[in-house]
Amino acid sequence: MDNLSDTLKKLKITAVDRTEDSLEGCLDCLLQALAQNNMETSEKIQGSGILQLFASLLIPQSSCTAKVANIIAEVAKNEFMRIPCVDAGLISPLVQLLNSKDQEVLLQTGRALGNICYDSHEGRSAVDQAGGAQIVIDHLRSLCSITDPANEKLLTVFCGMLMNYSNENDSLQAQLINMGVIPTLVKLLGIHCQNAALTEMCLVAFGNLAELESSKEQFASTNIAEELVKLFKKQIEHDKREMIFEVLAPLAENDAIKLQLVEAGLVECLLEIVQEKVDSEKEDDIAELKTASDLMVLLLLGDESMQKLFEGGKGNVFQRVLSWIPSNNHQLQLAGALAIANFARNDGNCIHMVDNGIVEKLMDLLDRHVEDGNVTVQHAALSALRNLAIPVVNKAKMLSAGVTEAVLKFLKSEMPPVQFKLLGTLRMLIDAQAEAAEQLGKNVKLVERLVEWCEAKDHAGVMGESNRLLSALIRHSKSKDVIKTIVQSGGIKHLVTMATSEHVIMQNEALVALALIAALELGTAEKDLESAKLVQILHRLLADERSAPEIKYNSMVLICALMGSESLHKEVQDLAFLDVVSKLRSHENKSVAQQASLTEQRLTVES
């Protein structure tokens, strides 16, 4: 270290004199000291004030330039040296050196800039202001096709530099994307796929850039899908596959890329991994199985990619996914159920699957998870059943297969995601199915649970779905018994509150259900309707200009139906409904205007 102090003193003199030979000796000495103890040597360099001198040594024509850049690269490995390098004015001359024709100078300069940018806002800003990124991208473009080892090493350093420059910085990543870095990197990957270090650098760069929404379109216009699948097929090591997975996951969020990945044969690779790893107990294998099956489900979220893999329900992929559902592996059961939910996104697929026995498979799966079951599997299986129940022709088939009974086993679940899907499935099943709606609506346990969930203020989804199912039970059954069950369980106040929802569809469903209650069982519900202040709410809905036409229409229908109750009739009279209703006679919507005339007559007669 004493020797180092002498070297630093000598370097100050020779830096001014520019005697190349002795300068070179000093630089070699510094590089040796850095190789032995980087941190301590860097501290001495910082303390000696020599950094400022380096700026003057970074000149293109000097034979020592590459060594000076190498020293900067070495000291900038230490976090505490990055800002001093910027403050010493090293960035601008380093960026100038990127125009050099000397390969060693380019290599060391790329290293120096990359290390200064690593996790350093000041370093990145300085490189940005000096315009370093564009020069590096231009180099990548022009050197892209040369495959000798020295050039590949340089390309690797340049990729690393761009990565350090833009890592976790959205605006700098967007800048690189606008400079066209993506097609260049994809081309690099294709040409240099034999070079492990460069391939790895490209993958990490893709992983960073793919998180940015604006990158997806650029990626979609390249052959990235093909290159990644080609690379994936060659990989045996878990770590390498994992790196590719980390790029595939964000890219596969884009529908165009989903389809490209399917066409490039990714699905076959994923199915192979699942088959290989399904019985393994190894942690790495379990993780890879999860990643592969999750990615498979993600690919099915695109309409085109999903339909291509469904192949009319005869596709190999669809059949393989079906076989996951009865497996003993929870991850595969989950992925299988989610995949079915994704296949069940159009009527044709749903009808085909129900006709071919998928419902029984899903019910068996649910059955295995009733007691202390896996919540994610329950949620996924219920999602699939809900989607399958959407086509009208499937409802009766699913009801007679016993789906409602299977679903009701989860009424005691305390998990909001399961509750939410359970409610949605039942609501889909009873749509226009009077008998089923009546049967469920007379199920006191179910109705009491719905009333309880209508108060789940922490879970808006569960609360909304409970209200909607309560209303649906009345609307589809049109049954007095169902209304009595709901009144006895305390459900009326929730339907009245639902009429004030911010969602027009829910308001409407509530008003229609309340009109049926008023028409069929007004005496039973009278007290509850009064204490829920229904008449005041209807007055507000009719007076509010923002209320949708169908809300105004159904509110007036309901007013007429309430006139059969003495106490509610009195409330209507007290609130001067005539004024509000007569204004609606000139409403632009014909149905509203007509109903206003009828309601006005009714109110006049009754008064």
Side-chain angles (χ1 to χ4, degrees), residues 47 56 61 104 121 142 165 212 263 272 334 395 453 490 498:
S56 63
Q61 47 287 23
E104 183 61 19
H121 170 69
S142 61
Y165 170 70
L212 218 64
E263 286 171 344
E272 215 169 289
L334 170 65
K395 297 182 196 293
W453 285 340
M498 183 181 168

Side-chain angles (χ1 to χ4, degrees), residues 10 14 18-28 63-64 67:
K10 194 174 170 189
T14 43
R18 293 286 162 87
T19 37
E20 299 268 324
D21 290 353
S22 46
L23 185 59
E24 196 147 348
C26 292
L27 296 172
D28 284 336
S63 62
C64 298
K67 281 184 181 164

Side-chain angles (χ1 to χ4, degrees), residues 329-402:
N329 182 306
H330 280 188
Q331 175 56 35
L332 279 195
Q333 292 171 1
L334 170 65
L338 287 173
I340 297 302
N342 286 346
F343 279 125
R345 281 210 318 280
N346 64 52
D347 283 6
N349 292 6
C350 289
I351 293 164
H352 177 91
M353 287 193 280
V354 168
D355 286 347
N356 284 276
I358 187 66
V359 170
E360 289 70 18
K361 284 188 170 67
L362 289 167
M363 280 167 40
D364 287 346
L365 177 59
L366 275 175
D367 235 20
R368 295 162 70 181
H369 288 277
V370 175
E371 296 304 324
D372 309 318
N374 181 308
V375 173
T376 48
V377 175
Q378 292 171 0
H379 179 257
L382 288 167
S383 294
L385 286 171
R386 181 198 174 280
N387 289 3
L388 290 165
I390 293 172
V392 177
V393 294
N394 280 357
K395 297 182 196 293
K397 292 173 188 170
M398 290 175 72
L399 288 165
S400 62

